[in-house]
């Protein structure tokens, strides 16, 4: 959520900044609501002053000749009207503040100055490329056909069990999928200083509001039926970031580093992706991800984004998967993000780079919604944290990249050397070998 003080100071500047995200901020609506709030506050203060003055009138009325009962009755009549007016103003103020909150909850974060202009992903700017795509001397298959040849990837059975956009993995591919998770968690905990956490796969609405999924993106979520208002998590970002909701972190604790990594399944309705990536594992309703989350001081978040992105890149480099890094333009930037780098892995079956990780700096946008703070030792006062997260990596898409980049002419799949220890020394998966 944006700082309402910043919006009040210069709403037109806020609207101008949001234009980069192709979001129209209604300045007139905001100013009208804020004026109503201010008017209600001033009226309440005036009535409180009248109530205080009226309470002192009993003595004056008695001095003027009224008996005590008549004086009390006259003052009580005035007080009753003041109280009724105060109650009405209190309700008006609540409704106005609720409307202001609802308006601001739907407003995206301001993009960083260095975010490039552009309407969609075609305007993202490449920052670097790593690795050289492999040259094949046989006809390339996509991951669906490679998995089908191996016999370990089945979409038809998954559709029978549940529906479209689900997958069943067996044998060597299921083990390879698990090995990828272990590699990612081990790398981030042993080499990058992250603490592994286990979190619930269901969250309440407050947690989703805190990270920005609600209220705007409810259609993308799976809401559970029952007495409690629970949702399946779209990403581990939600429960992990909410570890510090309504919390004030000591500055010394923050100096030690608040870095968390977490493996969870993720559940998304993909409501806005009708007709896109319907083949294979690129866009599914259920998938696995290893998430990276950091909480930092405000003046450290820009550097932390580069560091976090590098941690995700390290996995791709260990797997020797060619990729590129792009900075998202304003029109492609997420709702809560102020700056995002996407990592896109090379998929020879599509002859294209496809997103495998998004790494974002949210500034204090999420922290303000969650009241996640740290105590500044210099001032002794609580201040908002800055939050960051990124995929380190999306496990299913990493498996897709291995299937396509490590396929062999005879239909087998070579296991990347860094994963062979996690696979019990297996160097290759052969067709039909379950």
């Amino acid at each position: 959520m944006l700082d309402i003080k910043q919006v009040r100071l210069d709403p037109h500047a806020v609207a101008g900044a949001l234009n980069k995200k192709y979001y129209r901020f209604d300045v007139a609506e905001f100013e009208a609501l804020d004026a109503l709030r201010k008017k209600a506050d001033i009226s309440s203060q005036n009535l409180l002053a009248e109530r205080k003055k009226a309470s002192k009138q009993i003595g004056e009325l008695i001095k003027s000749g009224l008996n005590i009962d008549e004086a009390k009755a006259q003052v009580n009549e005035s007080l009753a009207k003041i109280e009724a007016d105060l109650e009405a103003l209190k309700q008006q103020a609540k409704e106005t503040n609720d409307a202001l909150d609802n308006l601001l909850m739907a407003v995206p974060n301001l993009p960083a100055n260095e975010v490039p202009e552009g309407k969609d992903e075609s305007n993202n700017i490449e920052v670097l490329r790593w690795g050289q795509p492999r040259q094949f001397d046989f006809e390339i298959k996509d991951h669906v056909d490679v998995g089908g040849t191996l016999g370990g990837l089945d979409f038809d059975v998954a559709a029978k069990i549940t529906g479209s956009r689900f997958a069943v993995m067996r044998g060597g591919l299921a083990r390879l999928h698990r090995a990828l998770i272990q590699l990612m968690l081990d790398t981030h905990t042993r080499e990058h200083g992250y603490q592994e956490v286990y979190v619930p796969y269901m969250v309440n609405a407050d947690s989703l509001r805190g990270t920005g999924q609600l209220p705007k993106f409810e259609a993308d979520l799976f809401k559970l039926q029952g007495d409690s208002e629970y949702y399946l998590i779209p990403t581990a970002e939600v429960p992990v970031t909410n570890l510090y909701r309504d919390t004030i972190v000591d500055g010394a604790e923050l100096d030690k580093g608040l870095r968390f990594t977490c493996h969870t399944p993720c559940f998304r309705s993909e409501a806005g992706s009708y007709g896109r990536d319907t083949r294979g594992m690129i866009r599914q309703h259920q998938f696995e991800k290893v998430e990276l989350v950091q909480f930092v001081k405000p003046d450290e978040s820009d550097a932390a984004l580069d560091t976090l992105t590098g941690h995700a890149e390290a996995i791709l480099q260990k797997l020797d998967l060619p990729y590129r890094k792009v900075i998202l333009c304003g029109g492609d930037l997420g709702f809560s993000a102020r700056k995002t780098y996407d990592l896109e892995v090379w998929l020879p079956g599509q002859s294209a780079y496809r997103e495998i990780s998004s790494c974002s700096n949210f500034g204090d946008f999420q922290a303000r919604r969650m009241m996640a703070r740290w105590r500044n030792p210099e001032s002794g006062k609580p201040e908002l944290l800055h939050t960051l997260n990124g995929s380190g990596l999306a496990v299913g898409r990493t498996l897709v990249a291995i299937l396509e980049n490590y396929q062999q002419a005879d239909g087998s799949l070579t296991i990347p050397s860094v994963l062979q220890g996690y696979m019990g020394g297996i160097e290759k998966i052969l067709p039909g070998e379950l």
Side-chain angles (χ1 to χ4, degrees):
M1 181 189 272
L2 298 181
D3 184 352
I4 194 169
K5 294 179 182 177
Q6 179 185 10
V7 182
R8 283 174 181 149
L9 185 64
D10 195 342
H12 291 283
V14 169
L18 288 170
N19 284 338
K20 186 183 278 189
K21 277 192 169 183
Y22 287 79
Y23 179 87
R24 181 183 173 274
F25 178 62
D26 194 331
V27 173
E29 180 183 7
F30 171 80
E31 290 184 329
L33 283 171
D34 205 39
L36 280 175
R37 176 206 58 79
K38 186 175 181 180
K39 181 180 178 181
D41 285 347
I42 292 173
S43 298
S44 295
Q45 291 170 12
N46 291 338
L47 283 173
L48 288 171
E50 283 185 36
R51 185 173 68 179
K52 186 176 181 180
K53 182 179 178 181
S55 299
K56 296 179 179 179
Q57 285 182 338
I58 295 178
E60 296 174 4
L61 290 172
I62 292 173
K63 288 179 182 179
S64 69
L66 290 179
N67 64 47
I68 188 168
D69 290 334
E70 291 174 329
K72 283 183 177 179
Q74 187 171 328
V75 170
N76 286 340
E77 184 179 347
S78 297
L79 285 172
K81 184 177 184 308
I82 291 172
E83 291 294 343
D85 290 343
L86 273 172
E87 188 60 33
L89 277 173
K90 181 179 177 182
Q91 182 61 32
Q92 181 186 340
K94 181 182 181 304
E95 292 173 358
T96 304
N97 281 317
D98 287 347
L100 269 172
D101 284 344
N102 290 336
L103 186 153
L104 290 178
M105 286 289 274
V107 176
N109 198 0
L110 301 179
N113 292 333
E114 62 270 26
V115 169
E117 299 282 351
K119 190 170 185 179
D120 55 37
E121 61 184 18
S122 65
N123 302 121
N124 295 338
I125 295 177
E126 184 176 305
V127 177
L128 65 81
R129 290 195 184 200
W130 187 93
Q132 292 295 323
R134 174 185 167 194
Q135 299 299 310
F136 292 83
D137 56 5
F138 58 89
E139 185 177 351
I140 302 171
K141 297 177 181 177
D142 70 4
H143 69 281
V144 177
D145 291 334
V146 174
T149 299
L150 291 170
L153 188 58
D154 197 325
F155 297 99
D156 292 335
V157 169
K160 178 181 71 174
I161 295 170
T162 308
S164 62
R165 299 202 178 194
F166 292 89
V168 167
M169 286 176 275
R170 302 180 184 181
L173 288 191
R175 186 174 185 180
L176 180 58
H177 186 267
R178 175 163 51 92
L180 283 168
I181 296 167
Q182 288 300 119
L183 170 69
M184 295 174 191
L185 290 174
D186 285 350
T187 299
H188 297 316
T189 55
R190 296 174 184 175
E191 299 177 21
H192 299 152
Y194 289 81
Q195 180 185 100
E196 183 177 353
V197 291
Y198 173 85
V199 294
Y201 301 161
M202 298 182 291
V203 292
N204 55 37
D206 285 342
S207 294
L208 289 158
R209 276 190 287 269
T211 48
Q213 279 79 14
L214 286 179
K216 188 174 178 62
F217 301 106
E218 185 158 12
D220 294 325
L221 303 171
F222 285 109
K223 186 175 183 179
L224 302 180
Q225 300 296 315
D227 295 333
S228 299
E229 189 181 28
Y230 291 152
Y231 296 79
L232 294 176
I233 59 170
T235 165
E237 167 199 344
V238 178
V240 178
T241 308
N242 274 274
L243 289 173
Y244 287 87
R245 173 155 53 97
D246 297 323
T247 299
I248 300 175
V249 179
D250 183 75
E253 182 183 359
L254 193 58
D255 287 336
K256 295 176 183 177
L258 293 180
R259 295 180 175 183
F260 301 95
T261 185
C262 184
H263 159 246
T264 66
C266 306
F267 306 91
R268 298 183 186 177
S269 72
E270 297 293 351
S273 64
Y274 180 78
R276 294 178 60 194
D277 297 313
T278 56
R279 177 176 168 83
M281 295 179 65
I282 294 294
R283 197 177 298 275
Q284 296 199 294
H285 293 309
Q286 174 186 311
F287 60 96
E288 309 283 309
K289 192 148 65 80
V290 171
E291 193 75 3
L292 306 175
V293 174
Q294 292 192 23
F295 301 85
V296 301
K297 297 175 183 177
D299 61 353
E300 297 174 353
S301 64
D302 288 337
L305 176 60
D306 292 332
T307 301
L308 184 146
T309 306
H311 295 156
E313 290 180 71
I315 303 297
L316 291 167
Q317 293 173 12
K318 282 176 179 281
L319 294 168
D320 199 20
L321 291 171
Y323 69 92
R324 69 175 193 155
K325 174 182 173 182
V326 300
I327 182 171
L328 299 195
C329 68
D332 200 30
L333 198 58
F335 176 81
S336 299
R338 68 184 303 268
K339 181 179 179 180
T340 297
Y341 290 117
D342 270 6
L343 302 180
E344 299 177 349
V345 68
W346 175 253
L347 297 183
Q350 297 188 19
S351 191
Y353 287 96
R354 296 300 305 270
E355 178 200 333
I356 197 168
S357 173
S358 278
C359 301
S360 300
N361 180 3
F362 302 101
D364 60 12
F365 187 82
Q366 292 179 327
R368 182 171 288 105
R369 295 164 81 105
M370 296 187 302
M371 291 307 292
R373 295 168 290 171
W374 69 292
R375 191 174 299 281
N376 188 329
E378 294 182 5
S379 66
K381 296 180 180 179
E383 298 179 10
L384 292 171
L385 288 160
H386 278 201
T387 60
L388 306 96
N389 72 53
S391 304
L393 303 161
V395 183
R397 292 194 179 191
T398 309
L399 180 64
V400 166
I402 289 174
L403 288 172
E404 296 196 5
N405 283 279
Y406 283 86
Q407 61 181 294
Q408 303 300 315
D410 63 358
S412 65
L413 181 73
T414 299
I415 305 299
S417 58
V418 73
L419 290 173
Q420 290 173 13
Y422 293 97
M423 296 286 290
I426 295 173
E427 298 178 2
K428 186 175 287 190
I429 299 176
L430 301 174
E433 185 180 62
L434 296 178

